[in-house]
Every structure is written in structure tokens, then in C-alpha cells.
Amino acid sequence: MVAIFGGTFDPIHIGHMRGLIEAREAVDFERIFLVPSGTPPHKTHLIQSPGEDRLQMVRLAVRDLGFGEVSTYELDSRQPSFTLNTVSHFRNRFKKKPLTLIIGSDSLLEINTWHRFEEVLSLANLAVLPRPGFVGKDSFDKVEKKLSPIKIENIKRNFPTSSSDWITTDQKKVIILLKINRLDISSTNIRDRVKHGRSIKFLVTEPVEKYIIEKRLYREV
């Protein structure tokens, strides 16, 4: 199974990395691709660093992670980074392998605002990293409302282990709700801490911290 994990990664932090580690333990991913975003629609104001800097930080983090591959697909593309384009790219590249898109639960609850999200869910499964407080008895109801007109056909709780619940859609794709530890760390907070001269030690890896300091990222000009 091939997995895609995209994001602005401005910067990539320990929360991202810990989520990938636990996702890999819960689901038998053969390969995981980290995809720094190029020009995300409606979110250009969130990117404060050039793509090359964000790419280098992801490469540094992957070395410490010990697994994962870095894709420059979105950074190399001149088109807006619609999720559909990225998923289609990997679907064409790995025609015979199951494809899974790893997202956060906040993104899942906004999925109905995605560009042609029904097509995205026809091409790939989802693995959902929970934000604190997401996994609860009302989670399935929230997800079902956001997926419409796609319908839920089956729910397997604690499948294949207690670390996940699996939802099967009428498109015969799976949405894996991971029940894992999710660190409450945000790139926004890290940028703010750097801007105000506060430590980011243990929020990012040491090489990423060093890169941010050397490149003077997130500081006032």
C-alpha cells in the first residue's frame, strides 16, 4: 500500500513525524511519500517560506524519521496544488497498488469544500490522523455529513486492531480513523515562537531547528 502525506510543512514538526510513525504501525504501508505543497488554493497566505526551504526541512526530517520518501511533485507543478491533481499523479504512477491519502481530522471535516472531493475519494483511501478530542461517539455522524453525497456502507470498529476504525464507502474505498496519540503542535505556533525569540527545541528535530536558525526563517525582516 502506497501512502501520500501532504502539507505546507512550514515547518515540518515532531507532531507530523510522530503521526506518521504511529500511522505506519497501525497500517502496513509499503511506501510513504511526503509532499510539500506548491501553491495551495485559498491558503497562499499560510506559506511564509520559499518552497526550497520547506523542501529542505522535510528532507532533513525524513533522515531522522528513518523512512519515507520526499516528492517534489507539487513544488514542481505550475498549477495550484489541488489534492485531486496530486492523488491522480500518484494513482497513475502506482496503477496496481492501493493508494492512501493521510490527512488530519480537521481536513476530513472540511472535505466537502475540496475541489471535486468525490473524485479524490474514488481514487484513494483515507487514513485520518486525529486532532485531540476528535475520536468519540459522534465522530461517525460528523464524517457521514461531510462525505455526502458519498455514503457509508459499513463501519468496523477496532479493526484490524484497537488502533483504528475502518469505514467503507459506497465507492468501495476505506476511511481509516486512526486512534493514536496526536501531539498538539502547530507550525503556526512554531513560527510565532521563532518570531518572538522563543525556543522551539523538541518541537522540531535538531537539524530542522538548526536550518531555521541558520536561514533566519520566520523572523521579522
Side-chain angles (χ1 to χ4, degrees):
M1 187 181 296
V2 175
I4 311 164
F5 184 48
T8 52
F9 299 129
D10 195 18
I12 188 169
H13 54 66
I14 294 296
H16 292 129
M17 297 169 70
R18 188 64 211 173
L20 285 179
I21 289 171
E22 296 204 29
R24 187 169 178 248
E25 290 176 344
V27 183
D28 188 21
F29 292 124
E30 178 183 347
R31 302 174 71 176
I32 297 178
F33 288 88
L34 285 79
V35 188
S37 62
T39 306
H42 314 305
K43 293 186 178 182
T44 54
H45 64 288
L46 296 180
I47 299 179
Q48 299 184 6
S49 303
E52 181 61 28
D53 286 323
R54 294 183 291 111
L55 174 62
Q56 290 303 323
M57 288 188 284
V58 172
R59 284 175 170 162
L60 290 170
V62 164
R63 290 177 193 169
D64 282 339
L65 194 59
F67 65 86
E69 303 169 57
V70 182
S71 169
T72 61
Y73 168 73
E74 291 192 5
L75 290 172
D76 294 339
S77 177
R78 295 183 179 180
Q79 300 178 346
S81 298
F82 288 114
T83 301
L84 176 60
N85 295 342
T86 302
V87 170
S88 297
H89 166 76
F90 281 93
R91 180 70 285 158
N92 290 331
R93 181 177 172 184
F94 299 101
K95 297 181 185 298
K96 296 183 179 180
K97 292 185 179 292
L99 188 65
T100 299
L101 179 65
I102 301 175
I103 63 173
S105 56
D106 50 344
S107 294
L108 178 63
L109 295 179
E110 296 176 351
I111 198 167
N112 57 327
T113 68
W114 290 12
H115 174 66
R116 292 158 63 182
F117 81 95
E118 299 98 328
E119 291 183 51
V120 174
L121 293 181
S122 72
L123 296 173
N125 302 314
L126 296 182
V128 183
L129 300 170
R131 288 287 186 187
F134 171 74
V135 177
K137 61 182 181 180
D138 60 342
S139 297
F140 296 107
D141 292 337
K142 290 179 182 178
V143 171
E144 188 169 27
K145 289 178 181 178
K146 296 298 181 178
L147 288 177
S148 180
I150 296 172
K151 296 180 180 179
I152 292 176
E153 283 197 342
N154 188 33
I155 297 173
K156 293 183 179 180
R157 297 179 182 268
N158 301 314
F159 178 85
T161 69
S162 60
S163 62
S164 62
D165 295 324
W166 287 47
I167 297 172
T168 305
T169 71
D170 58 358
Q171 295 180 324
K172 307 306 178 186
K173 295 298 181 183
V174 174
I175 300 174
I176 306 167
L177 300 183
L178 298 166
K179 294 184 286 186
I180 61 179
N181 296 310
R182 189 78 190 277
L183 302 179
D184 194 10
I185 301 173
S186 75
S187 297
T188 301
N189 177 256
I190 291 171
R191 294 195 300 267
D192 187 67
R193 292 184 70 87
V194 174
K195 177 181 176 180
H196 292 94
R198 300 168 67 188
S199 173
I200 58 171
K201 188 175 292 293
F202 304 125
L203 296 176
V204 297
T205 63
E206 187 174 342
V208 170
E209 179 187 16
K210 183 178 180 182
Y211 187 92
I212 291 170
I213 292 171
E214 289 181 348
K215 293 290 185 176
R216 298 188 62 80
L217 299 180
Y218 316 128
R219 297 183 182 275
E220 295 282 9
V221 178

